[in-house]
Amino acid sequence: MASSRNVGLDYLRSVAIIVVLINHALIGFFYTTSVIVIDGLFASFTAASVIAIEWLFVLSGFLIGAMMIRSFDRNQGWLKSAKDFWLRRWFRTIPNYYLFFAVNFLLAIYGVTTDGYIYSHLWFSQNLAWEEANRSFFGEAWSLALDEWFYFLMPIIVGILAFFPLNKKAIFIFASILLIVLPVAGRMQHTVPTDFFQWDEQIRRITIYHLDATGWGVLAAATSKWFPGWWNTRIKGKAIIGLFFMAAGLFFVVSLVHPKYMNYSMYSFGSAFSITLMSGGTLLFLPWLTRVNFSWRPVTWVTEKLSEYSYSIYLSHFPLLFLFKFFIEINKNSSGTLLFLVVSSWFLLVVCLSGVIFNYFEKPIADLRESFTKRVDASPF
């Protein structure tokens, strides 16, 4: 049976997860061990890698937006549609999340990580409207908390808007725009950070200031369904404009690393709108991306597997990195051979372990939702 996966979306998700792994390997294995320092081009690359997370947010919104729209199109009532949507998402995301909360908790208890643990991750409040108390514990969970809050809020907003004389098209378009505009307004009101790290801690990693990235994905899903004339025309032109917007967003992000080259107004604009440019640019890129049909089997197989395993990869790569560093001493005097063996072994183990987790834990539990909900197609319209 032919795969129903969208090749282009798998490519983008795979590239995003590889960028995340490369960046975290550079920081975890090289920077924190004093092998290298964050400066110049390395600092710029580290800052620019944030676009990978924006891609993942927009892709998530694009696919869950399509699923949510189809669920509410069934005219089975708001409560039934919302319940089906929440259960399908939670069966897919929550078990793996709590599995790795337990893993990170044990690493902290046994001294593999040394900064302790906090329980607010259990209810996704660690970065809701404030800085994380401990970024080292379950450090990747900030983005997962953001997604979970979006999944929770979007059906509620749709339900509230249903009380007004609006059709489904208007409801979903308005709900997604609302979840785009409000975080941007919040970022505009926030004190302008003085550098990239302050922006990262006080804005990018805060849920209420970053919901719009996923909102752009839902807006893309709604646009592809209800405005197919726009979605399906001039796709190359939109893709080029989207790349330009993404590059502009990256320019402002990198400028946060080198503020001395920017005046205050440009710095302030970048602080508030760099996420907007990257996420909105990704939306414009999606009409072309969803039509990519490069089908050389070895490449498509690898990208499909990386895409399938991406959630487990994202959750497992930090704990494995901590374990490698705990058992293998790395410092500025370490040989290039040792560093190569450690990083390549870590990467292979991350992918292999994620495959095991996906096939024997993540997917079997996710499949249980079929007993409680109706299957909903999440592929692009």
Side-chain angles (χ1 to χ4, degrees):
M1 185 176 67
S3 174
S4 61
R5 302 185 67 88
N6 184 280
V7 175
L9 300 185
D10 280 347
Y11 285 154
L12 187 60
R13 186 181 289 107
S14 299
V15 170
I17 203 68
I18 289 171
V19 170
V20 169
L21 290 177
I22 291 173
N23 184 48
H24 289 169
L26 286 171
I27 294 172
F29 288 118
F30 294 86
Y31 168 66
T32 60
T33 56
S34 300
V35 175
I36 59 175
V37 295
I38 293 183
D39 195 15
L41 289 176
F42 173 60
S44 297
F45 170 79
T46 299
S49 67
V50 302
I51 196 171
I53 301 299
E54 303 311 311
W55 289 338
L56 293 173
F57 282 144
V58 175
L59 283 173
S60 174
F62 186 49
L63 295 174
I64 67 106
M67 185 174 74
M68 195 186 310
I69 290 169
R70 289 189 176 102
S71 180
F72 280 86
D73 264 350
R74 289 175 169 173
N75 295 317
Q76 56 187 354
W78 175 85
L79 183 60
K80 174 64 175 172
S81 296
K83 186 196 78 171
D84 281 357
F85 171 77
W86 283 326
L87 285 176
R88 293 194 72 81
R89 292 313 304 159
W90 290 339
F91 266 100
R92 177 71 175 80
T93 61
I94 296 294
N96 236 15
Y97 179 91
Y98 283 130
L99 170 66
F100 278 93
F101 174 88
V103 168
N104 282 277
F105 180 80
L106 291 174
L107 292 181
I109 289 292
Y110 288 101
V112 176
T113 55
T114 57
D115 293 332
Y117 52 86
I118 51 177
Y119 289 111
S120 55
H121 291 72
L122 290 171
W123 43 87
F124 304 103
S125 68
Q126 69 269 24
N127 60 310
L128 178 58
W130 40 79
E131 295 180 47
E132 297 166 272
N134 179 358
R135 285 185 54 175
S136 298
F137 174 72
F138 207 178
E140 65 274 32
W142 72 270
S143 59
L144 308 177
L146 191 157
D147 268 339
E148 294 301 332
W149 279 104
F150 189 93
Y151 300 154
F152 177 69
L153 290 172
M154 183 72 186
I156 292 176
I157 294 173
V158 167
I160 293 172
L161 292 175
F163 285 101
F164 296 88
L166 301 169
N167 58 27
K168 285 190 179 69
K169 175 174 72 174
I171 287 173
F172 274 92
I173 294 289
F174 189 76
S176 55
I177 290 176
L178 189 66
L179 285 169
I180 289 170
V181 171
L182 290 179
V184 174
R187 294 199 296 267
M188 292 176 66
Q189 296 302 313
H190 192 280
T191 303
V192 178
T194 59
D195 58 34
F196 171 82
F197 297 102
Q198 194 177 87
W199 174 77
D200 186 56
E201 294 173 0
Q202 297 182 2
I203 292 181
R204 188 177 82 96
R205 297 170 69 97
I206 305 300
T207 294
I208 61 170
Y209 292 147
H210 207 150
L211 289 170
D212 53 319
T214 313
W216 281 104
V218 176
L219 181 61
T223 302
S224 67
K225 175 176 174 60
W226 285 299
F227 299 94
W230 180 87
W231 185 264
N232 295 315
T233 57
R234 298 183 177 88
I235 59 174
K236 290 183 179 179
K238 288 197 288 283
I240 292 171
I241 296 172
L243 288 172
F244 174 79
F245 282 172
M246 285 187 268
L250 284 177
F251 169 79
F252 285 111
V253 168
V254 172
S255 76
L256 295 168
V257 181
H258 311 287
K260 62 183 179 181
Y261 298 112
M262 304 287 288
N263 61 47
Y264 179 81
S265 60
M266 293 181 68
Y267 197 45
S268 176
F269 180 88
S271 173
F273 291 102
S274 54
I275 290 172
T276 306
L277 289 166
M278 290 185 288
S279 302
T282 305
L283 180 152
L284 292 171
F285 193 68
L286 285 176
W288 176 84
L289 185 68
T290 53
R291 287 166 176 76
V292 169
N293 194 29
F294 180 72
S295 57
W296 187 35
R297 186 56 188 163
V299 175
T300 55
W301 183 84
V302 169
T303 56
E304 181 176 320
K305 292 305 176 185
L306 284 175
S307 187
E308 285 182 340
Y309 302 164
S310 60
Y311 187 44
S312 291
I313 288 173
Y314 193 67
L315 285 163
S316 67
H317 77 282
F318 263 136
L320 285 173
L321 189 152
F322 293 139
L323 285 168
F324 266 77
K325 290 174 63 179
F326 184 76
F327 288 107
I328 303 172
E329 183 178 355
I330 299 172
N331 55 53
K332 61 183 178 181
N333 298 317
S334 299
S335 68
T337 301
L338 175 63
L339 291 170
F340 173 79
L341 289 174
V342 167
V343 174
S344 58
S345 299
W346 167 77
F347 179 83
L348 289 172
L349 187 57
V350 166
V351 175
C352 292
L353 178 62
S354 299
V356 172
I357 293 170
F358 174 80
N359 286 296
Y360 296 101
F361 181 79
E362 181 182 338
K363 188 175 185 299
I365 291 182
D367 288 344
L368 293 175
R369 59 191 176 180
E370 307 305 334
S371 301
F372 302 95
T373 66
K374 293 182 180 180
R375 179 183 292 274
V376 183
D377 184 13
S379 62
F381 291 106

